Amino acid sequence: MNVLLVAGGWSSERDVSLSGAAQIEKALIELGHDVRLHDLSRNFPGFVDAAQASDFAFLNLHGAPGEDGLPQALLDAVGVPYQGSGPAGSFLALNKAASKQLFVRAGLPTPRWDFLTEQPTAGYRPDFDPPWFVKPNLGGSSILMSLVRDPAELPAALDRIFASGDAALIEEGLTGQELTCAVLGDEPLPPILIRPKAGEFFDYTSKYEPGAADEICPAPVDAGLIRDLGAATCAAHKALGLDGYSRADFIYGPSGLMLLEVNTLPGMTQTSLLPRSARVAGLSFAALIARLMELGLARQAKRP
């Protein structure tokens, strides 16, 4: 097939996107496809024409555009198949304040949170005690994320996010084991236990610098917790109306298993979690790409 590999974009995660795209391109060529790389930030006006000249669009975008559902909406409008979720589910997962509402509705425990669109008045603090994780509402890869232990540091953490043009999510800073689990099709993949080697949480460096974190797959936890992780991952996938694949992040501690967020276009770099989990399940990187394309084509065939 003629595959349009869509990457780059203009979010803060552009470099991560391009790094993963290089691996995906090699896998697509290995699978016998003709590949054209399309960097959205270099030629967004030509995206629809390039897609219509292709048989399939493989999306490797992070943040917005990409996980916000914009490219998916354009591809749906012109009938070009792609892997993963459609526009609505993509946007709901990207928007942390929106997805948390649906997690609660589905009975999925998630840490307490507050949502702010501007700097609050002096003396503000959430109605739960620190520490607090302060996150961009639409951001990913832990960019601009802060762990705030002293309330006096909260305004500065919020200022960094508001300066980027995003809203802020303040989340209860729970302690425990960091775990992630992916779903491929309708089945969960082996979960991963994450142990950062430096820093207090799984930050940008831990995620993308080789060797900066121990990522143990399958996670060395009891069988009951593995079942719970798989069930919660599939439930979150369903609650957001997702398709094909996703990866959910959790923390497990004194409060039990808590769902943090869901990623609809998980990272595909050398150190990314989804390919690692797929390998343990018996799928090479190329086989994972082939399966994602198969699921995307099946989704397209069901569309009216």
Short mmCIF file of all heavy atoms in Angstrom, two decimals, residues 53-78:
data_model
loop_
_atom_site.label_atom_id
_atom_site.label_comp_id
_atom_site.label_asym_id
_atom_site.label_seq_id
_atom_site.Cartn_x
_atom_site.Cartn_y
_atom_site.Cartn_z
N ALA A 53 -4.14 10.86 -1.89
CA ALA A 53 -3.26 10.17 -2.83
C ALA A 53 -2.66 8.91 -2.23
O ALA A 53 -1.84 8.25 -2.87
CB ALA A 53 -2.15 11.11 -3.29
N SER A 54 -3.08 8.57 -1.01
CA SER A 54 -2.54 7.42 -0.29
C SER A 54 -3.64 6.41 0.00
O SER A 54 -4.83 6.72 -0.04
CB SER A 54 -1.89 7.87 1.02
OG SER A 54 -0.93 8.89 0.80
N ASP A 55 -3.22 5.18 0.32
CA ASP A 55 -4.17 4.13 0.69
C ASP A 55 -4.44 4.11 2.18
O ASP A 55 -5.48 3.60 2.63
CB ASP A 55 -3.63 2.76 0.26
CG ASP A 55 -3.36 2.67 -1.22
OD1 ASP A 55 -4.25 3.06 -2.01
OD2 ASP A 55 -2.25 2.24 -1.60
N PHE A 56 -3.51 4.64 2.97
CA PHE A 56 -3.61 4.58 4.43
C PHE A 56 -2.76 5.69 5.01
O PHE A 56 -1.68 6.00 4.50
CB PHE A 56 -3.10 3.21 4.93
CG PHE A 56 -3.40 2.91 6.37
CD1 PHE A 56 -4.53 2.20 6.72
CD2 PHE A 56 -2.54 3.34 7.39
CE1 PHE A 56 -4.83 1.93 8.05
CE2 PHE A 56 -2.82 3.06 8.71
CZ PHE A 56 -3.97 2.35 9.04
N ALA A 57 -3.24 6.29 6.09
CA ALA A 57 -2.45 7.30 6.82
C ALA A 57 -2.06 6.72 8.17
O ALA A 57 -2.93 6.32 8.95
CB ALA A 57 -3.25 8.58 7.00
N PHE A 58 -0.77 6.66 8.44
CA PHE A 58 -0.31 6.20 9.74
C PHE A 58 0.09 7.43 10.54
O PHE A 58 1.02 8.16 10.19
CB PHE A 58 0.87 5.24 9.62
CG PHE A 58 1.07 4.41 10.86
CD1 PHE A 58 0.63 3.10 10.91
CD2 PHE A 58 1.66 4.96 11.99
CE1 PHE A 58 0.78 2.34 12.06
CE2 PHE A 58 1.81 4.22 13.15
CZ PHE A 58 1.37 2.90 13.19
N LEU A 59 -0.63 7.66 11.64
CA LEU A 59 -0.45 8.87 12.45
C LEU A 59 0.54 8.62 13.58
O LEU A 59 0.36 7.70 14.38
CB LEU A 59 -1.79 9.31 13.03
CG LEU A 59 -2.92 9.56 12.01
CD1 LEU A 59 -4.22 9.85 12.75
CD2 LEU A 59 -2.55 10.71 11.08
N ASN A 60 1.56 9.44 13.65
CA ASN A 60 2.47 9.41 14.79
C ASN A 60 2.67 10.84 15.28
O ASN A 60 3.71 11.45 15.09
CB ASN A 60 3.81 8.76 14.45
CG ASN A 60 4.60 8.46 15.71
OD1 ASN A 60 4.14 7.69 16.55
ND2 ASN A 60 5.77 9.05 15.86
N LEU A 61 1.61 11.37 15.88
CA LEU A 61 1.58 12.74 16.36
C LEU A 61 1.27 12.74 17.85
O LEU A 61 0.54 11.87 18.33
CB LEU A 61 0.49 13.54 15.62
CG LEU A 61 0.72 13.71 14.11
CD1 LEU A 61 -0.60 13.97 13.41
CD2 LEU A 61 1.70 14.86 13.86
N HIS A 62 1.81 13.70 18.55
CA HIS A 62 1.57 13.80 19.99
C HIS A 62 1.15 15.23 20.33
O HIS A 62 1.69 16.19 19.77
CB HIS A 62 2.82 13.42 20.77
CG HIS A 62 3.35 12.06 20.41
ND1 HIS A 62 2.59 10.92 20.50
CD2 HIS A 62 4.56 11.68 19.92
CE1 HIS A 62 3.31 9.88 20.11
NE2 HIS A 62 4.51 10.32 19.75
N GLY A 63 0.19 15.36 21.23
CA GLY A 63 -0.34 16.67 21.54
C GLY A 63 -1.27 17.13 20.43
O GLY A 63 -1.88 16.32 19.72
N ALA A 64 -1.37 18.44 20.26
CA ALA A 64 -2.23 19.01 19.23
C ALA A 64 -1.37 19.78 18.23
O ALA A 64 -0.56 20.62 18.64
CB ALA A 64 -3.26 19.93 19.86
N PRO A 65 -1.49 19.46 16.93
CA PRO A 65 -2.47 18.56 16.31
C PRO A 65 -2.04 17.10 16.41
O PRO A 65 -0.86 16.80 16.49
CB PRO A 65 -2.46 19.01 14.86
CG PRO A 65 -1.04 19.44 14.62
CD PRO A 65 -0.60 20.08 15.90
N GLY A 66 -3.02 16.24 16.40
CA GLY A 66 -2.77 14.79 16.42
C GLY A 66 -3.68 14.10 17.40
O GLY A 66 -4.67 13.49 17.02
N GLU A 67 -3.35 14.22 18.68
CA GLU A 67 -4.18 13.59 19.70
C GLU A 67 -5.46 14.39 19.96
O GLU A 67 -6.33 13.92 20.68
CB GLU A 67 -3.37 13.42 20.99
CG GLU A 67 -2.30 12.35 20.86
CD GLU A 67 -1.44 12.23 22.11
OE1 GLU A 67 -0.73 13.20 22.43
OE2 GLU A 67 -1.47 11.16 22.74
N ASP A 68 -5.56 15.57 19.38
CA ASP A 68 -6.79 16.36 19.53
C ASP A 68 -7.89 15.95 18.57
O ASP A 68 -9.00 16.48 18.62
CB ASP A 68 -6.48 17.85 19.35
CG ASP A 68 -5.92 18.18 17.97
OD1 ASP A 68 -5.59 17.24 17.21
OD2 ASP A 68 -5.81 19.38 17.65
N GLY A 69 -7.62 15.02 17.66
CA GLY A 69 -8.63 14.54 16.72
C GLY A 69 -8.71 15.31 15.42
O GLY A 69 -9.49 14.94 14.54
N LEU A 70 -7.91 16.38 15.25
CA LEU A 70 -8.00 17.18 14.03
C LEU A 70 -7.61 16.40 12.78
O LEU A 70 -8.40 16.37 11.81
CB LEU A 70 -7.14 18.45 14.18
CG LEU A 70 -7.03 19.32 12.93
CD1 LEU A 70 -8.39 19.82 12.49
CD2 LEU A 70 -6.08 20.50 13.18
N PRO A 71 -6.43 15.75 12.73
CA PRO A 71 -6.12 14.99 11.52
C PRO A 71 -7.12 13.86 11.26
O PRO A 71 -7.47 13.56 10.11
CB PRO A 71 -4.72 14.42 11.80
CG PRO A 71 -4.17 15.29 12.86
CD PRO A 71 -5.32 15.71 13.70
N GLN A 72 -7.61 13.24 12.35
CA GLN A 72 -8.58 12.16 12.20
C GLN A 72 -9.88 12.67 11.56
O GLN A 72 -10.48 12.00 10.71
CB GLN A 72 -8.87 11.52 13.56
CG GLN A 72 -7.69 10.78 14.17
CD GLN A 72 -6.78 11.67 15.00
OE1 GLN A 72 -6.76 12.89 14.85
NE2 GLN A 72 -6.01 11.06 15.90
N ALA A 73 -10.31 13.86 11.97
CA ALA A 73 -11.53 14.43 11.40
C ALA A 73 -11.36 14.71 9.91
O ALA A 73 -12.27 14.45 9.11
CB ALA A 73 -11.90 15.71 12.15
N LEU A 74 -10.19 15.23 9.53
CA LEU A 74 -9.94 15.48 8.11
C LEU A 74 -9.89 14.18 7.32
O LEU A 74 -10.43 14.10 6.20
CB LEU A 74 -8.62 16.25 7.96
CG LEU A 74 -8.65 17.72 8.41
CD1 LEU A 74 -7.23 18.28 8.42
CD2 LEU A 74 -9.54 18.55 7.50
N LEU A 75 -9.25 13.16 7.88
CA LEU A 75 -9.16 11.88 7.19
C LEU A 75 -10.54 11.24 7.05
O LEU A 75 -10.87 10.65 6.00
CB LEU A 75 -8.20 10.95 7.93
CG LEU A 75 -6.73 11.38 7.91
CD1 LEU A 75 -5.92 10.55 8.88
CD2 LEU A 75 -6.15 11.28 6.50
N ASP A 76 -11.36 11.34 8.09
CA ASP A 76 -12.73 10.82 7.99
C ASP A 76 -13.51 11.55 6.91
O ASP A 76 -14.31 10.94 6.18
CB ASP A 76 -13.45 10.96 9.33
CG ASP A 76 -13.06 9.90 10.35
OD1 ASP A 76 -12.40 8.92 9.96
OD2 ASP A 76 -13.44 10.04 11.53
N ALA A 77 -13.30 12.85 6.79
CA ALA A 77 -14.05 13.65 5.83
C ALA A 77 -13.77 13.24 4.39
O ALA A 77 -14.65 13.36 3.53
CB ALA A 77 -13.73 15.14 6.03
N VAL A 78 -12.55 12.73 4.15
CA VAL A 78 -12.20 12.34 2.77
C VAL A 78 -12.08 10.83 2.61
O VAL A 78 -11.66 10.34 1.56
CB VAL A 78 -10.91 13.04 2.31
CG1 VAL A 78 -11.12 14.55 2.24
CG2 VAL A 78 -9.73 12.73 3.24
#
